[in-house]
Structures are given as C-alpha cells and as structure tokens.
C-alpha cells in the first residue's frame, strides 16, 4: 500500500477500480492537470505498483526486470492514494460506493473502472492446465516452470503456445529465449490474422520459422494431454496428431473483466453491456450510470473492446479532462500495431485490409526473403488509408503519422524493400500524431525542441532522453523513437544547432568515437564502458552495438563474461535448430568488416 489516506470533506473523491496501465495513466493525467480539490484512490488487486504490460516479455526472460510505470514519487502526493491487494467486487451505484474483497468500502463522487481483461480459457479438456500470459505472476510462473522442467528432464523443454496473435508470438519468442523448443498453433491459415492479410501472414510465418519457431496453422487443438501424475505431455489435434509438449500456454484472446457491471443487474440503475462483453461507453467514456466511467479493455465503444495501449491512454486523458471541466471526446480506436519479434519487424495500421470502397493496394512481396510491404490508398493513389509491413517495416515510421492525409509522393516511393531510393523526406504537419500511444502530435514535439512552452525553461531540448521525458513521446511501446529522433535532428539543424551524434540516450559518443575510446582504454566489459562513458542501464541500441565493438576488438568468446545478455536474440543463440536436426548458422563478422582471409575461413568451415 502506498500513498496517503487524508481526505478532507472539501475534496471531490475519485475512486479507480483497477491498477493497470489505464488506471496509472488516469492517475497521472489527474496529477498533471492538478489535484487541488481532488482526492484519487486507486484500488488494485495486484501486489505491485502499476506496470507496463507492453514489455511483459522482458519479465518473462528476466524475472527481476522492473516494469514499473512512470515516476514512483507521484504516489507520494497527498491527494493520491494507491492501495494494493484491494480487488473491487461490487459497485453500489445508488450509495456511490464500492466494496472490496477485503470487506472495505470506499465512497466516491466519480468512479473510473479500469479492470482490463482476462485471458480467454481454452475450451476443451485439459485447458485448465495451460499457463496464460497476462500478468507478472503469469510470466514468472512460465519462467519457473521452464527452469524447473529443464533441470528435471535434462533436455530442452517443449512449449506449445495456442494462439498465433500478438501475445501468442510474444510468449513463444520469450520461451525460446529461455532455451525452450517452441511451437505455435494457430487456427487461422496464417499468423496474426487479425492484423495481417494472407500475404503478410505467410511472410511472417516464413521468417519466424527461420528463427527456429515451429508454426502450425489452419489446425485446431482438441485436448491437452497429461500422464498419470498430471504432468502435461502433449496436445491432441483435431486431425488426430499429437504435438509433444511439456508446457502449454493459452493465448487465444482476451475477454473484458466486466463482472462488476454484470453484478449490478437487477438494481434500479443498470449498465449497458456489449454483445461481446465490456460496458458500453459514450464518446466521453461515461457509462449509462451518471458519475461512472470506464476506460481501457473493459470499455466497449462502437461495439468493440480493444486491448491496445494507445486507446486506453486516450480514454484516461479524456476522463481526466472531463472531470476538470473539459469537453474532450473519444475519436475511436487506433488499431495500429508494431511488433519486433526476435528481430522480425511487423507493423499494421489503418485500413490494412483495404475494406474502404475503391481502395487501392500497392504491394511488394518477396516470399523468399520473407518481406511483404503494402500501402493502402484511395483509388487516386493520393490519400493514405493504411498499410502492412513484414520483414522490413522502415516505411511505417514515416507513413503512420500521415494516416488519412495526402501523401507527399507516389506510394511506390515508400516501398523500401522494392529498392526505392527516392523515398521522400517527409515533413510531418504539426497536427499529425507522431506518438500514437500517448497521442502526441508533431507540433508538440517541435514546441518542446524549440522551447516554446512545452517544457519549463527557455532553452531548446537537444537530447532524445530529455525530449522523451518532456513530451512523453516514445516512452511506452517505443516504435516512434526513430521518427522522434529524426524530428529532433531536423529541428535542431533548422535552428543552427549542431546535431548530436550520440549513439543513444545513454551514450553521448557516436559509434565510431565509442569504438576508438574502448580500443584506447582497452575496456572489455559493458559495465566498465557504461561507467566510463555512459549513463543509465543501457538499451536495445547501445547493448548490441557495444557487444559488436567488443567482439571486434577482443578474441574472447562473445557470449562469455556476461556479454551474452548484450546480444540480439539470434546472436545469443549463434545458430538455429532446423526441423531435420541440422543447424543454420549465421557467421559472425566483428563490426561487419570482412576480409578475404575471413571469407576463406568461412568457406573452409562450410566445406
């Protein structure tokens, strides 16, 4: 339990049921707008501070990885009271109070329900034995099971993930990083069928198979099999096949946790529920009962509930704005999705399936390379409606903020995989949303960079880390960070300020400068390099870069002495096991520099 319990009668009481990302964003939005005259109580059933579910895979691989959202000092505010281990079980709308499983009662003037969703259970025998992938406890349990069974069985653990969507692929990739042999079963003929069309799905399937993930599509499981001791042994398929498994993970979808609203049936004031679950909200995020709002995955808008961070954040901001006397409205769901799975880029946004009348699809596909790029426009090829990118998602960064706008160039110029060399250097309009997670337009970024009131002080923002802190852009899923960095450099150049060549926000030196410094000082560990030249804990940019520099300067094995954790997933394994028992090996070229002698060695090894 954190926070304070003071609650003067003069303050308006807001109770939040739920403690996930949506609840955290609402508390943060209230805090940012000012809490004078307010008292906000957040009731979460989990034992943790609100954490980032988008990066849950990091806690699967490294159980002590901290996913806590935002600055913990926010909860020290007198008007913010976070209570962990408090699950709301009943809403008393007439009395304006909620009851918790612990027997406590909390009165409110406004109630915000952010209970999220649960993983859908497997609807066949043995389904209750499957792990799910929703909370910290869930991923910790998977990690523990893999570790324990690996020691017990003395071999690679076999995991089967049922569901080939975003969460299913993320879970399967995580188990592979823990050393398991992973299989994904998906009923649709291709992976991520909710976000990708067939061409993209087939390209993704080819890429993940090359990474060592076994994929079974167009087939359904019918039972989880066990031995006499109750240990999972496999999955029985509808066609009679048995897929060996030591651990089964269910990722077939989610269902809104709307039990609080369903329990209110029969009372004088009832809530309107969606046909597929969730409580129906208006564009102000209000339910049919005055004073009660719903945000995040439990909220049904336009007949749909969606488990993405961007709309949940938008809903939280709207409710905070409304409580402060504003008139913000929810524009609808932003379904843009970007995933980096074991080094495979996948992105989908807008009308990806070209359902708009007379929509035009501009497609480049190279099945052999596992590359698929599609841009959807109006029939005159001028206005961007959506897109899908697999294998090479470079255009997504420039195109995503231009959704619904006229393209600066013809669509084919953006198909980088097709060899386009004249892709336009897009100047984003001020009202174009650069960071969809936090709904930050390009104009806000420009104001921050040019010190026009977005941040305290009168000096321009010149560092990427400072810009992220100031505007919140790039602080959640991170997919907009390359575009954010590009905008920062462009604006600084316009102002006549020398653009930083920093490797990332943790190292102010460029890669070449860092290479030379490490060589001169003969540094041989990431920790020493970070202590000497960097700050923070490092990131996905600097860690692999330093691993490459160390590999090119030292003859020591690249995975020894703690260097393995610096590598990209595929570099950690150094090889992928194929179905026939052979290995595919990607020769490691230190620093990307090859010599005739080195080529000769590779040829000799191959022979």
């Amino acid at each position: 339990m954190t926070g304070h319990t003071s609650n003067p009668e003069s303050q308006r009481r807001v109770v939040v049921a739920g403690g996930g990302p949506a609840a955290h964003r609402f508390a943060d939005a209230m805090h940012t707008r000012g809490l004078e005259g307010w008292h906000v109580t957040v009731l979460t059933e989990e034992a943790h501070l609100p954490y980032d579910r988008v990066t849950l895979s990091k806690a699967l691989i490294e159980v002590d990885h901290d996913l806590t959202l935002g600055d913990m000092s926010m909860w020290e505010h007198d008007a913010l009271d976070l209570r962990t281990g408090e699950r709301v079980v009943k809403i008393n709308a007439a009395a304006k109070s909620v009851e918790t499983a612990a027997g406590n009662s909390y009165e409110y003037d406004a109630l915000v329900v952010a209970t999220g969703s649960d993983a859908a259970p497997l609807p066949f025998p043995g389904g209750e034995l499957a792990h799910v992938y929703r909370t910290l406890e869930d991923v910790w349990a998977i990690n523990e099971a893999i570790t324990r069974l690996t020691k017990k069985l003395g071999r690679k653990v076999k995991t089967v993930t049922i569901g080939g969507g975003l969460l299913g692929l993320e879970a399967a990739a995580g188990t592979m990083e823990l050393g398991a042999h992973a299989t994904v079963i998906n009923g649709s003929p291709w992976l991520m069928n909710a976000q990708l069309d067939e061409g993209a799905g087939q390209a993704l399937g080819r890429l993940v198979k090359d990474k060592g993930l076994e994929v079974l599509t167009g087939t359904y499981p019918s039972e989880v099999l066990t031995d006499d001791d109750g240990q999972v042994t496999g999955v029985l398929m509808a066609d009679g096949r048995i897929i060996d498994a030591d651990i089964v993970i269910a990722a077939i979808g989610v269902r809104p946790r709307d039990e609080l609203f369903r329990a209110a049936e029969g009372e004088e004031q009832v809530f309107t529920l969606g046909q597929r679950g969730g409580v129906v909200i208006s564009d102000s995020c209000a339910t049919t009962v005055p004073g009660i709002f719903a945000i995040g995955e439990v909220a049904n808008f336009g007949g749909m509930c969606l488990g993405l961070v961007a709309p949940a954040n938008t809903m939280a901001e709207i409710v905070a704005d409304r409580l402060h006397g504003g008139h913000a409205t929810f524009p609808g769901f932003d379904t843009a999705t970007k995933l980096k799975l074991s080094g495979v880029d996948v992105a989908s946004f807008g009308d990806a399936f070209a359902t708009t009348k007379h929509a035009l699809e501009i497609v480049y596909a190279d099945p052999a390379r596992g590359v698929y790029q599609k841009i959807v426009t109006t029939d005159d090829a001028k206005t961007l409606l959506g897109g899908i990118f697999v294998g090479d998602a470079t255009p997504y960064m420039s195109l995503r903020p231009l959704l619904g706008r006229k393209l600066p160039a013809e669509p084919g110029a953006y198909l980088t995989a097709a060899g386009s060399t004249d892709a336009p250097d897009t100047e984003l309009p001020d009202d174009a949303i650069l960071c969809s997670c936090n709904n930050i337009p390009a104009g806000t970024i420009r104001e921050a960079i040019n010190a026009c009131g977005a941040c305290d002080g009168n000096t321009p923002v010149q560092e990427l880390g400072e810009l992220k802190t100031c505007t919140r852009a790039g602080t959640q899923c991170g997919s907009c960070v390359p575009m954010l960095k590009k905008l920062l450099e462009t604006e600084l150049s316009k102002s006549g300020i020398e653009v930083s060549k920093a490797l990332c926000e943790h190292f102010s030196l460029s890669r070449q400068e860092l290479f030379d410094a490490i060589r001169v000082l003969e540094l041989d560990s990431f920790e020493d390099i970070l202590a000497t030249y960097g700050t923070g804990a490092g990131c996905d940019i600097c860690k692999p870069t330093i691993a490459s520099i160390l590999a090119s300067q030292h003859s020591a094995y690249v995975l020894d002495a703690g260097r393995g954790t610096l590598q990209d997933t595929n570099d950690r394994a150094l090889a992928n096991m194929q179905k026939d028992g052979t290995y595919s090996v990607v020769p490691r070229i230190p620093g990307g520099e090859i010599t005739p002698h080195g080529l000769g060695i590779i040829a000799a090894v191959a022979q």
Side-chain angles (χ1 to χ4, degrees), residues 100-147:
T100 67
N104 298 318
S105 179
Y106 297 86
E107 296 181 347
Y108 63 82
D109 296 298
L111 172 64
V112 181
V113 179
T115 47
S117 63
D118 274 333
L122 297 178
F124 47 75
E128 70 280 359
L129 299 173
H131 290 263
V132 294
Y133 190 86
R134 294 295 292 166
T135 68
L136 275 174
E137 279 74 15
D138 293 335
V139 298
W140 288 344
I142 295 171
N143 180 293
E144 186 278 331
I146 291 176
T147 303

Side-chain angles (χ1 to χ4, degrees), residues 254-256 258 262 273-278 300 303-305:
V254 296
R255 57 185 183 186
D258 55 13
R262 294 186 183 277
L273 298 174
Q275 190 173 11
R276 296 187 177 181
N300 185 306
M304 182 169 59
C305 297

Side-chain angles (χ1 to χ4, degrees), residues 211-252:
K211 296 291 184 181
L213 180 64
E214 187 173 351
V215 177
L216 302 176
T217 56
T219 182
Y220 291 88
S222 60
E223 184 178 354
V224 176
L225 304 176
T226 61
D227 59 20
D228 294 338
D229 296 325
Q231 170 62 45
V232 170
T233 59
V235 176
L236 175 64
M237 305 301 292
D239 58 10
R241 284 183 297 167
I242 294 178
I243 310 301
D244 291 340
D246 304 303
I247 294 172
V248 174
I249 301 170
I252 60 173

Side-chain angles (χ1 to χ4, degrees), residues 150-481:
T150 299
K151 293 179 180 178
K152 177 182 177 181
L153 301 174
R155 58 166 173 78
K156 267 193 172 187
V157 170
K158 298 176 181 178
T159 65
V160 170
T161 302
I162 300 175
L166 280 167
L167 287 181
L169 290 175
E170 185 180 297
T175 65
M176 285 179 62
E177 287 214 44
L178 290 173
H181 176 275
T183 301
V184 168
I185 298 173
N186 197 47
S188 169
W190 62 88
L191 297 172
M192 287 183 64
N193 51 287
Q195 292 85 21
L196 305 180
D197 61 15
E198 183 172 2
Q202 299 293 357
L204 175 60
R206 187 180 184 92
L207 287 171
V208 297
K209 287 176 184 176
D210 288 344
K211 296 291 184 181
L213 180 64
E214 187 173 351
V215 177
L216 302 176
T217 56
T219 182
Y220 291 88
S222 60
E223 184 178 354
V224 176
L225 304 176
T226 61
D227 59 20
D228 294 338
D229 296 325
Q231 170 62 45
V232 170
T233 59
V235 176
L236 175 64
M237 305 301 292
D239 58 10
R241 284 183 297 167
I242 294 178
I243 310 301
D244 291 340
D246 304 303
I247 294 172
V248 174
I249 301 170
I252 60 173
V254 296
R255 57 185 183 186
R257 290 192 56 184
D258 55 13
E259 61 269 19
L260 288 176
F261 303 106
R262 294 186 183 277
E265 291 181 2
E267 296 185 3
E268 290 184 7
Q269 292 180 308
V270 296
F271 300 91
T272 301
L273 298 174
Q275 190 173 11
R276 296 187 177 181
V279 64
V280 175
I281 61 169
S282 66
D283 61 3
S284 65
C285 298
T287 67
T288 51
V289 177
I292 300 180
F293 301 85
I295 60 176
E297 294 170 296
V298 74
N300 185 306
F301 185 80
M304 182 169 59
C305 297
L306 203 63
L308 295 175
V309 66
N313 284 343
T314 301
M315 290 178 183
E317 293 283 351
I318 287 168
V319 175
D321 177 77
R322 288 277 176 162
L323 292 178
H324 279 82
H327 303 282
T329 56
F330 184 60
F333 290 111
D334 178 358
T335 58
T337 301
K338 191 171 190 302
L339 172 72
K340 188 155 189 175
L341 177 73
S342 298
V344 177
D345 281 328
V346 183
S348 170
F349 70 101
D351 184 13
F353 292 92
T355 58
T356 304
K357 189 176 182 179
H358 302 307
L360 184 65
E361 298 176 87
I362 300 94
V363 178
Y364 172 80
D366 186 345
R369 291 170 55 204
V371 173
Y372 182 93
Q373 294 185 331
K374 179 173 81 171
I375 296 173
V376 182
T377 68
T378 51
D379 58 355
D380 59 2
K382 292 183 178 180
T383 302
L384 179 64
L385 299 179
I388 297 176
F389 302 95
V390 173
D392 181 359
T394 306
Y396 173 82
M397 304 301 176
S398 299
L399 290 173
R400 170 64 189 83
L402 296 176
L403 184 63
R405 301 172 184 270
K406 288 190 178 298
L407 289 170
E410 60 93 15
Y414 292 92
L415 298 179
T416 56
S420 174
T421 58
D422 58 344
D425 189 10
T426 306
E427 179 82 6
L428 293 180
D430 281 346
D431 61 340
I433 301 300
L434 188 143
C435 174
S436 59
C437 286
N438 294 302
N439 201 35
I440 309 297
T444 299
I445 307 297
R446 289 192 175 97
E447 287 181 3
I449 297 170
N450 296 304
C452 296
C455 294
D456 295 331
N458 298 310
T459 57
V461 173
Q462 299 185 44
E463 300 293 337
L464 181 60
E466 184 184 359
L467 184 60
K468 290 166 67 176
T469 301
C470 175
T471 63
R472 284 185 179 167
T475 57
Q476 286 203 265
C477 80
S479 64
C480 65
V481 170

